[in-house]
Amino acid sequence: MARARVAIASDHAGFAQKQQLAAWLAEKGYPVTDFGAEDGATSVDYPDYAQLVARAVAKGQAELGVLVCGTGIGMAIAANKLPGIRAANITDPAFAVLAREHNDANVVTLSGRLVDFDTNKRIMESFLNTDFAAGRHSERLAKIAQLEQ
Ligand code: RB5
């Protein structure tokens, strides 16, 4: 997924790492759109930010979404409510590879509280550098898409 357009957002709990990840992605040359939050001190609701990124990805305004909250779990649950979104909550780089190869995940959700920045950066590298393997996995994704009907 070289130079994919990236939509990123967080709640207050993910704010610090969202800032770091957005800067790191931009440094690497990825076009990044930041949908907030604006600070880490104001308590906000993660579904509000998950939907902004999920809608941008679903509309094709970005190829990849990145969502950071305390655990990444709430962001994944919320983002996966939108048709066309395959969000994976990832805490280890090996899972990032499989989420791309097998599941063609288009949104990665990360933990800002329980996973350190270096690990989240390695997760992002794996996610960005791994292509969907297609083949038998495509048929399974088609079945997931049917569940949205
Ligand atoms: C906020 O306290 C926390 O619940 C949120 O960031 C996230 O971890 C939810 O899944």
Side-chain angles (χ1 to χ4, degrees), residues 11-14 44 46 69-75 113:
D11 66 357
H12 54 289
V44 294
Y46 59 82
C69 64
T71 58
I73 295 169
M75 288 293 200
R113 281 182 173 155

Side-chain angles (χ1 to χ4, degrees), residues 25-111:
L25 285 162
E27 250 172 53
K28 286 189 141 337
Y30 290 92
V32 179
T33 306
D34 185 343
F35 287 93
E38 302 305 324
D39 66 77
T42 312
S43 183
V44 294
D45 298 331
Y46 59 82
D48 297 337
Y49 294 89
Q51 62 116 1
L52 294 174
V53 163
R55 286 191 201 286
V57 173
K59 283 186 201 156
Q61 293 164 351
E63 283 76 39
L64 170 65
V66 182
L67 289 165
V68 195
C69 64
T71 58
I73 295 169
M75 288 293 200
I77 292 171
N80 277 319
K81 296 293 179 193
L82 277 94
I85 295 304
R86 293 176 299 279
N89 183 203
I90 304 290
T91 56
D92 177 286
F95 286 77
V97 170
L98 291 168
R100 289 287 311 127
E101 278 182 356
H102 288 209
N103 311 114
D104 199 15
N106 51 14
V107 174
V108 59
T109 73
L110 302 170
S111 168

